[in-house]
Every structure is written in structure tokens, then in C-alpha cells.
Amino acid sequence: MEALNLNKQGQRTGVPSDYLELPQTGAEPPLSEIEKAIQETTHRFAVEVIRPAGLLLDKMDPEDAIAPGSVYWDVMQKAEGLGLSLIAMADMDPTERARVLAIASEELAWGDVGLACSILVNHFPVMYSLLAGNQEMAEYCEGKRGCWSITEPDHGSDTLEGNFALQAVNGTYGRPNCTARIEGDKVIINGQKSAWCSGAMTAEVCALYCHANVDGDIRPGIAVIVPLDLPGVSRGKALDKIGMRGCNQGELFFDQVEVPVSHLLAGPDTYADFTYATLTEANPHVAATWVGVGRAAYEHALAYAHERKQGGVPIIQHQNVRYRLFHMFRKVEAARAVTRRVVEFNATAPKAALQASIVAKITATQNSFEVASDALQIFGGNGVTREYPMEKLLRDARAGLIADGCNEVLAIKGGTALMNPDLL
């Protein structure tokens, strides 16, 4: 016989007593001591610092959001105390390091995905320097605000493409907007990167990926660390966008910018392999942040469904609401599970799997958007007002389907990685 809950008056509520309190991040195995410590620290930071600041920055003009005195700078300063230094983590077990970063990314984005991305992108020049095996550059970039510059006015998600897999049949890449050439002990950069360069307005160093000019032959490519205070570097205007407003983005311009060749991460001979490694590293980080967005939307909806009454009862007692909430819960759990699985696999495999990284990114961002949309529906009319959190979360979630490579282009690249040339 099915047990039923009783309310405070001893009356039957008609709700089966199957409730089980799950850990903070759902049905996953117990965390290690260091994982629990990172989760608790970053979650507390998200509650006390990131979420309140994210709400303020979301309503500000992009230029004002990064102006002196903005709460943005307070967040960035306090984030330095989180202990997320990649160099300091270098001696950790690879699996635990990957899991710690995924856990931290989820918690930060649970607070605000724009600010989470701002914090994480500051570490990207260090990350990619380590990925390239350039310890000197990793140490040079450590402690400096960073950005990652890839896309161009005429080239979007196809920019990180070293083997032409995304090129249309009988098509060509077309003229790149930014190129670099190696001359003796210098790398000389000319051109423009588009307004989607995350952190560009506040960064001190840039991990720049562009085409190479080799004796007039333009081809992929060069990756190089560029100090943004060099002569010839200029910035455009901060981008005004619907979501991720806590993460500043904007154009970068390079006019005969000279960088020492020691800043090089990859040249034409290694660029294709390096961009492969870059995507396998970056996509799961993006996946983990959007798991946090989806989880935030789900938790808001779950709490609201217990509070909001229709028909004389909290709306969670209506079957359709419970049905919707379960599928939201399922999607968050699935996104987290595949993300954790991929980061652990790629941290330990002889060669990281690009197709797996893309699975994590697309699954997490797509599920996050669907969960945020359903969460807004549960809030009803209140969901579309700025008095409640859902319209912001829906805007933030939508941005994930394009950020770090739009999902359609990534799926083509992931599908290409499934092709076995020995069977063709």
C-alpha cells in the first residue's frame, strides 16, 4: 500500500512519500575531499558575490559594466582568492584536476554564466600555453587578465579549423581578416578579430589564433600570446548582447604588432593539431558552465512550483508540472554526467577525443536552453518579467548554443571526427 504524506494538520496531501534529498550536484558518486572543498568554496562565492553582481551587470550598459568603479572589478579581484591557478594545479592527478575545474565552472555559472566565463577566460592564455608545452608563456600570463581571440568579421566558428573539414564542397575558406607572419625572432600580426572575443575589453594578454602568411601563402595558422599593451594594438567598443552580459566581448585590431617568437604556441606545421587540442580542452569547460545555467533554472523552477498556488494547491501538485520538472531534472543530470565523463576520459586518454568534447558542449548547452525555457513556462507570466530570474536565465542559456562554436558547426566537425578513412 502506497504511503502518503500528511500536512501539518495531519491531513493526507495525496503526495507519495518518495522524496529523497540529493547532494548539491545530483546523483553523482561521492566527491573527494579536495573536490568538496572546491565545490563549497565556489558555491559560496557564487551565492555571495557572483549572483548579486551578475544581476546588476545584466542591467548595465556594456561600457559602464567595465568602467572603473564597476562591481565587475570587485568580482574579478575577489575571484583571485578562489585558488583556481592552473600552474598551481599542474602537479595534481590529471583526472582530479579536470574534475575540479568542471565542478568549479558549474558552481560559478550557477551564480552567473557571464561572470563565470569572465573568470575562466582570464586563465585561457595560461591554459593554452600549458597545452602547447610553453611553460615560459604560462608563467608570463599567470596572474594577468586574459582573453581568447579566434573569430573574425568574415569567419565565425570555422576559424578554429586546420584541416578544412567544415569547408563546403568546392568551396574555399575565403580571405582571413587577421594574419601573422614569422620574421626572424618576431611574429608580426595584422588585421582584425571580431567582437566575440571574450574578455577583450579588460584583458592584458591575448591567446590569438589566426592564419599564417608564409611567403605570401595564406594558410592555417599561428597561435601566439599577445600582450595587449603593445604598439599597434587597439580595441573596439564593448559588445551589447542579449545574454552573458557579465562577460565583456569586443573587437581587437592589430597593425604591424610585433611579438617575440618565444610567445609562439603553434606555427603552420603544428596548428591543425593544436586547434584540435584546443577544442578538446575548451568545449568541456563550456559544457560545465552551461550545466550550471541549466541547474540554476531548474532549481528556481522547483522552488517556485512549491510556492506558487493555482487551484488551491502548490502547482507542483499538478501532474503536468511534476512531469515537466522531472524532464528538466533529467536533462541537467544527463548534461552533467556526460560532461564529467568526457573531462575524465580526455584527461587520461592517450589522445583526447574531439567528438566526445563536442558531445559534452552540445548536450550541455542544448539541455540548458530547454530547461530554462521550461522553467520560464512554469513561472508563467511572471517568468517574462525582470522581477523574476527566468528571463535572464533564458537569455544566458540561449547564448550557449553559439558560444565557443555554434552547435550546428560543431556537430559537422564532430561528425567528421567519426569518419574512419580506413573504411572509405
Side-chain angles (χ1 to χ4, degrees):
M1 184 173 178
E2 191 175 56
L4 296 177
N5 282 336
L6 302 178
N7 63 18
K8 293 179 181 179
Q9 288 74 42
Q11 300 168 322
R12 289 171 59 178
T13 64
V15 180
S17 56
D18 293 336
Y19 180 73
L20 174 67
E21 187 78 40
L22 289 174
Q24 184 167 298
T25 48
E28 65 177 345
L31 303 181
S32 70
E33 288 302 315
I34 189 170
E35 289 169 353
K36 284 191 290 186
I38 289 291
Q39 185 184 66
E40 290 171 3
T41 300
T42 50
H43 185 73
R44 184 166 58 251
F45 186 76
V47 170
E48 297 174 357
V49 179
I50 289 186
R51 187 166 279 187
L55 292 174
L56 292 174
L57 292 170
D58 185 67
K59 299 173 183 176
M60 294 174 66
D61 178 273
E63 297 288 344
D64 293 338
I66 56 174
S70 167
V71 68
Y72 173 87
W73 296 106
D74 180 57
V75 174
M76 293 302 110
Q77 181 180 19
K78 290 178 179 177
E80 294 175 5
L82 289 173
L84 298 178
S85 164
L86 297 176
I87 291 180
M89 293 182 185
D91 294 331
M92 290 177 63
D93 174 79
T95 300
E96 187 161 54
R97 180 173 63 246
R99 283 181 53 83
V100 160
L101 289 172
I103 289 166
S105 296
E106 178 179 336
E107 295 304 324
L108 295 175
W110 176 91
D112 179 82
V113 70
L115 283 170
C117 288
S118 285
I119 292 168
L120 294 171
V121 79
N122 279 338
H123 298 281
F124 276 13
V126 175
M127 180 186 295
Y128 298 141
S129 295
L130 291 173
L131 198 63
N134 192 330
Q135 185 69 26
E136 179 186 350
M137 276 300 96
E139 293 175 2
Y140 170 78
C141 294
E142 177 75 358
K144 295 182 175 67
R145 296 185 302 276
C147 68
W148 184 21
S149 191
I150 315 161
T151 58
E152 301 174 355
D154 297 321
H155 300 283
S157 301
D158 60 335
T159 311
L160 265 181
E161 178 53 51
N163 61 7
F164 307 105
L166 298 176
Q167 195 165 286
V169 177
N170 298 323
T172 61
Y173 180 84
R175 182 177 180 177
N177 299 104
C178 185
T179 62
R181 67 184 188 275
I182 301 172
E183 289 189 1
D185 61 354
K186 296 178 181 178
V187 180
I188 302 174
I189 307 160
N190 282 286
Q192 176 185 357
K193 285 294 181 177
S194 73
W196 301 108
C197 178
S198 296
M201 300 294 97
T202 55
E204 297 169 287
V205 291
C206 171
L208 174 71
Y209 290 61
C210 65
H211 270 58
N213 183 338
V214 183
D215 298 325
D217 179 24
I218 307 298
R219 64 176 190 261
I222 279 177
V224 62
I225 296 296
V226 184
L228 295 180
D229 60 353
L230 289 176
V233 176
S234 58
R235 312 181 203 226
K237 189 177 180 181
L239 188 65
D240 198 359
K241 54 193 191 295
I242 67 165
M244 293 178 61
R245 292 176 64 83
C247 178
N248 70 85
Q249 294 176 300
E251 298 165 309
L252 289 174
F253 300 89
F254 305 92
D255 182 11
Q256 289 291 109
V257 176
E258 297 185 0
V259 179
V261 76
S262 60
H263 287 224
L264 198 66
L265 303 183
D269 294 338
T270 59
Y271 187 78
D273 289 339
F274 189 64
T275 55
Y276 178 100
T278 298
L279 275 178
T280 58
E281 184 73 25
N283 277 173
H285 286 288
V286 173
T289 55
W290 263 269
V291 171
V293 176
R295 181 179 130 214
Y298 163 70
E299 290 179 3
H300 278 301
L302 182 65
Y304 186 78
H306 283 82
E307 300 164 2
R308 173 69 169 168
K309 290 185 178 180
Q310 285 289 304
V313 296
I315 61 174
I316 197 167
Q317 291 189 229
H318 295 292
Q319 286 184 336
N320 183 264
V321 173
R322 294 204 300 273
Y323 175 90
R324 190 186 296 270
L325 283 166
F326 172 78
H327 283 290
M328 293 161 64
F329 167 76
R330 171 182 65 81
K331 290 175 181 178
V332 173
E333 286 291 305
R336 180 185 299 111
V338 75
T339 299
R340 297 277 209 272
R341 176 183 172 95
V342 167
V343 297
E344 290 187 40
F345 177 85
N346 282 350
T348 56
K351 182 176 181 179
L354 177 60
Q355 62 269 45
S357 293
I358 292 173
V359 165
K361 192 273 177 178
I362 291 179
T363 301
T365 55
Q366 185 65 44
N367 283 13
S368 172
F369 179 62
E370 292 173 7
V371 168
S373 180
D374 278 346
L376 189 146
Q377 195 72 14
I378 286 174
F379 273 74
N382 286 335
V384 300
T385 70
R386 294 201 169 187
E387 183 180 350
Y388 290 82
M390 285 319 310
E391 64 88 26
K392 175 185 180 298
L393 278 168
L394 184 65
R395 290 186 280 110
D396 288 342
R398 184 60 183 84
L401 276 64
I402 298 171
D404 200 49
C406 72
N407 287 359
E408 292 81 2
V409 171
L410 286 178
I412 295 171
K413 190 160 181 64
T416 303
L418 303 178
M419 295 173 64
N420 184 345
D422 293 336
L423 299 180
L424 297 176

